[in-house]
Amino acid sequence: MCGIVGAIAERNVVEILLEGLRRLEYRGYDSAGVALLSNNGDYSQVRRTGKVNELANAIDAKNGMGNVGIAHTRWATHGGVTENNAHPHVSKDRISVVHNGIIENYQALREELKAQGYSIDTDTDTETIAHTVHSLLATSGSLLAAVQNAVKKFHGAYGTVVMDREDPSRLIVARSGSPLVIGLGIGENFIASDQMALLPVTRRFIYLEEGDVAEITRREVKIYDAYGQPVERGVVESNINHDAGDKGGYRHYMLKEIYEQPTVVRNGLQGRINDSGLVSGIFGEGADELLAKVKHVQIIACGTSYHAGMTARYWLEQYANVSCNVEIASEFRYRKSVVHPNSLLLTISQSGETADTLAALRLAKELGYMASLTVCNVESSSLVRESDMAFMTKAGAEIGVASTKAFTTQLTAFLLLTIALGEKNGMSAADKEMILSGLHSLPSKIEETLTLAKSIEVLAEEFSDKNHSLFLGRGEQYPIAMEGALKLKEISYIHAEAYASGELKHGPLALIDEKMPVIVVAPNNELLEKLKSNVEEVRARGGIMYVFADKNANFKSDETMRVINVPNCNEAIAPIVYTLPLQLLSYYVALIKGTDVDQPRNLAKSVTVE
Ligand code: GLU
């Protein structure tokens, strides 16, 4: 979601900025812009709606030169998707800014600024940052001080970079609520909302902390904390190897990532389990002692990660005898909640920058949770840095907006956590053995299940003219049905709802007709007979069903029901295995509908605004 790149160098920085934007492009956005300033004071600015290529095509020798510059991909929160609303925003032909986040009090600031004679020319909240900094410049004595004074006036979230047309020797950056990372070069320095953007120019990074304001020149980086005191922040060497342009021969990143699942799940298990159980210390230093005391788990997440958390709850209560609540981060953070004794706060996020989840973690620290653990895919992320314990999912860079391998590796992590907590809370030897053997077989089961792709591709044809669909599951397959529905709506734009199948008769049965396909997830577990009754309820009302079922579940295809047999697997790993055909179904339906699979409309990866 929304990308920032900035650079200050002796060389022309335009290509560094554009490449940085391209490397963030996969996250989804609606418009892009760049402002460039040369050492001789020449300034140019280009903004376009649409893709970075549109912006790059609009840049030529005349407007494409600068030794310092700022660039942005926008995911509109305030004001429509227009060139005029695209960043950078400029005040009085002098101060240019790019911004990620939301300035919540922008209306009040606008009134204040209008009274001071500033004209408001865009519909964005961001414009008020530029004018506020400009208005404070004369009295503050320096650009740094003007930004430090300005941020005191902002409510909400920002990662922002400020450039003064009269001073090509520095950029000022500020962070509160939206991530920013400084990239260190030799005689040149950089700034971005994600290190990915800067990997072609540096591997050395400084992560700004909440409330930090920094002054970046070619040779120096000076950082001040929220109280204006100079602070040192550590330099981190990144060993990430990420070629954002590589689809590995697949048509879409999403398909590539679906097929990477056997490998990344295997990587995630390697060195973490052996024949008799978990390798000690896999949740980090000191974690074993902390986890031994846990009596309750509060899970906080959004979107797909929330579905992983819901699945984890079934496992933790069923096998580990640990009570567990799961809540959407944006709800949790704005309500009063009760903290149980010896509670673990467990956050889940692919990017580790999900704004609501991060805010919930910060809130939880004040509420008195015993400890926090995050299950995350990005080692350098805020969630990993701010949690007591971190478990890395090792899924590798996920580029497709619709999460696939991040989800299945999160689920794998939760089976490990189930064993870790269960061992201290009376888990039966049989359950432990069942989960362990399931985990050992998981990579090959995933591989086997992906061979269903051809038949699912054929099946997808039947969805191309549908506008609505219903997903059903029971027990730990209910969150899998929810995840299947989310995938379908995200990338094929078909309205999809998921229900715990026992809920059918409490409302959704009213919707059933031949125009509304019903997708059923039916492994061979103790709830099978109950599920079969629910299937009959749908059949009796003329519904058309697509049933993903274990062969031994004895479903038979007929004129109202298509059965797709999923490879037989043990109960513990079934939610992971049954996720795969649903991912493939949504992918192939999207392909038939011709949507932008990797960057679906209106959505973005790494949701850094609340
Ligand atoms: N709130 C700002 C806008 O709508 C910034 C959005 C973003 O983070 O891209 O322009």
Side-chain angles (χ1 to χ4, degrees):
M1 172 172 280
C2 30
I4 284 182
V5 192
I8 179 160
E10 289 303 341
R11 53 177 162 160
N12 185 3
V13 296
V14 67
E15 272 312 318
I16 297 171
L17 298 179
L18 290 175
E19 179 56 20
L21 293 186
R22 282 189 199 104
R23 294 176 73 87
L24 300 177
E25 186 157 35
Y26 70 91
R27 295 171 167 218
Y29 60 91
D30 47 55
S31 44
V34 60
L36 293 160
L37 179 63
S38 295
N39 283 335
N40 65 10
D42 286 350
Y43 178 88
S44 61
Q45 174 163 316
V46 184
R47 300 179 295 172
R48 287 290 181 274
T49 55
K51 305 259 175 192
V52 172
N53 257 348
E54 311 275 339
L55 178 71
N57 290 340
I59 290 176
D60 54 29
K62 275 215 303 288
N63 61 17
M65 169 61 211
N67 312 96
V68 49
I70 55 180
H72 186 259
T73 51
R74 176 173 188 240
W75 189 81
T77 64
H78 291 64
V81 180
T82 63
E83 200 167 297
N84 191 48
N85 286 337
H87 303 207
H89 291 292
V90 182
S91 179
K92 301 274 188 194
D93 284 341
R94 180 163 176 190
I95 297 297
S96 303
V97 304
V98 289
H99 162 226
N100 283 352
I102 295 172
I103 302 298
E104 288 170 358
N105 58 332
Y106 77 108
Q107 291 288 18
L109 288 171
R110 275 183 177 184
E111 294 314 313
E112 225 178 86
L113 291 161
K114 277 194 218 160
Q116 292 176 41
Y118 288 92
S119 89
I120 303 296
D121 299 326
T122 77
D123 309 314
T124 67
D125 51 334
T126 304
E127 188 186 356
T128 60
I129 300 181
H131 295 317
T132 305
V133 171
H134 184 273
S135 72
L136 293 166
L137 201 52
T139 50
S140 299
S142 69
L143 184 62
L144 171 70
V147 173
Q148 284 173 317
N149 290 331
V151 295
K152 291 183 192 139
K153 290 173 158 268
F154 302 149
H155 302 166
Y158 51 84
T160 188
V161 188
V162 181
M163 185 166 80
D164 179 359
R165 218 179 276 194
E166 292 183 10
D167 182 4
S169 70
R170 71 201 65 233
L171 290 170
I172 308 295
V173 307
R175 174 202 166 146
S176 179
S178 303
L180 276 183
V181 58
I182 295 171
L184 302 173
I186 296 169
E188 54 187 20
N189 286 312
F190 313 95
I191 182 81
S193 47
D194 184 320
Q195 62 170 14
M196 287 296 175
L198 302 178
L199 287 178
V201 284
T202 185
R203 297 266 150 178
R204 297 174 65 230
F205 296 103
I206 297 175
Y207 290 91
L208 291 181
E209 294 190 7
E210 284 301 282
D212 283 355
V213 177
E215 181 172 53
I216 304 176
T217 63
R218 290 177 180 81
R219 295 189 181 280
E220 245 184 333
V221 173
K222 287 188 189 154
I223 305 173
Y224 303 86
D225 67 12
Y227 307 100
Q229 297 303 315
V231 279
E232 293 287 327
R233 304 280 182 226
V235 177
V236 180
E237 295 271 346
S238 168
N239 53 10
I240 290 188
N241 174 19
H242 168 49
D243 183 355
D246 181 14
K247 288 194 188 131
Y250 288 93
R251 187 161 166 191
H252 293 99
Y253 285 113
M254 182 181 178
L255 193 61
K256 173 178 173 240
E257 287 157 9
I258 288 174
Y259 277 95
E260 278 173 352
Q261 288 175 111
T263 309
V264 294
V265 165
R266 190 174 286 121
N267 291 346
L269 288 170
Q270 231 154 40
R272 287 169 162 170
I273 52 169
N274 53 34
D275 288 344
S276 56
L278 300 188
V279 172
S280 69
I282 61 170
F283 292 93
E285 215 178 303
D288 290 352
E289 291 76 43
L290 278 175
L291 293 179
K293 296 187 206 139
V294 171
K295 291 286 167 247
H296 177 78
V297 178
Q298 173 67 59
I299 299 180
I300 302 293
C302 307
T304 288
S305 297
Y306 173 69
H307 298 151
M310 283 186 67
T311 316
R313 179 178 60 182
Y314 284 93
W315 287 335
L316 289 175
E317 299 216 340
Q318 177 168 346
Y319 303 123
N321 303 316
V322 172
S323 68
C324 179
N325 284 339
V326 191
E327 191 159 354
I328 292 165
S330 55
E331 287 298 311
F332 175 81
R333 64 180 287 199
Y334 289 119
R335 74 176 184 89
K336 184 174 174 300
S337 58
V338 175
V339 184
H340 298 263
N342 288 33
S343 270
L344 174 72
L345 192 279
L346 170 53
T347 58
I348 316 166
S349 163
Q350 189 282 131
S351 68
E353 301 294 348
T354 312
D356 282 315
T357 310
L358 193 54
L361 169 67
R362 290 174 183 155
L363 171 73
K365 285 183 179 174
E366 291 160 25
L367 296 178
Y369 280 88
M370 190 189 79
S372 59
L373 164 68
T374 189
V375 170
C376 185
N377 194 31
V378 179
E379 194 132 26
S380 55
S381 64
S382 303
L383 271 179
V384 171
R385 281 179 287 123
E386 294 184 30
S387 299
D388 300 321
M389 297 172 274
F391 185 91
M392 305 315 303
T393 48
K394 299 191 183 177
E398 190 179 68
I399 307 283
V401 164
S403 190
T404 51
K405 61 178 181 168
F407 181 68
T408 45
T409 52
Q410 285 166 353
L411 291 181
T412 308
F414 292 131
L415 285 174
L416 298 178
L417 183 67
T418 301
I419 298 178
L421 293 178
E423 280 177 334
K424 307 287 177 204
N425 291 282
M427 172 185 235
S428 74
D431 281 348
K432 180 179 166 186
E433 175 47 34
M434 194 262 297
I435 297 176
L436 211 52
S437 71
L439 284 170
H440 280 294
S441 70
L442 184 56
S444 58
K445 272 296 163 204
I446 294 177
E447 239 154 50
E448 196 184 335
T449 309
L450 290 174
T451 61
L452 292 173
K454 274 272 152 277
S455 49
I456 293 174
E457 189 175 356
V458 174
L459 185 91
E461 300 279 349
E462 299 184 26
F463 286 74
S464 59
D465 62 339
K466 300 291 188 295
N467 296 319
H468 306 277
S469 60
L470 196 61
F471 284 69
L472 300 179
R474 288 193 88 117
E476 67 270 34
Q477 295 289 351
Y478 166 44
I480 301 309
M482 293 174 81
E483 175 60 9
L486 180 65
K487 286 289 89 88
L488 193 68
K489 63 186 133 189
E490 276 179 310
I491 62 169
S492 73
Y493 315 149
I494 292 176
H495 168 222
E497 279 197 70
Y499 269 89
S501 35
E503 277 290 289
L504 261 183
K505 51 189 135 342
H506 298 286
L509 263 185
L511 295 170
I512 300 295
D513 64 17
E514 72 288 355
K515 290 197 222 91
M516 177 134 168
V518 179
I519 296 102
V520 185
V521 197
N524 189 12
N525 63 17
E526 69 207 20
L527 293 172
L528 183 63
E529 291 313 315
K530 304 274 174 216
L531 186 77
K532 282 188 167 172
S533 305
N534 302 139
V535 164
E536 289 312 315
E537 289 161 11
V538 174
R539 192 200 298 275
R541 283 147 188 98
I544 307 291
M545 281 167 293
Y546 300 88
V547 183
F548 292 93
D550 189 292
K551 199 161 74 236
N552 300 328
N554 285 326
F555 282 98
K556 296 266 174 303
S557 288
D558 58 29
E559 62 281 5
T560 60
M561 184 156 79
R562 287 280 297 276
V563 179
I564 303 94
N565 282 325
V566 177
N568 177 266
C569 63
N570 91 11
E571 189 181 318
I573 61 168
I576 305 177
V577 170
Y578 279 75
T579 298
L580 306 163
L582 303 186
Q583 292 172 344
L584 288 165
L585 179 67
S586 64
Y587 175 76
Y588 286 115
V589 173
L591 211 58
I592 291 164
K593 297 199 80 175
T595 61
D596 191 346
V597 171
D598 285 329
Q599 290 176 31
R601 68 184 182 201
N602 304 340
L603 299 181
K605 191 103 186 145
S606 183
V607 183
T608 52
V609 294
E610 73 165 285

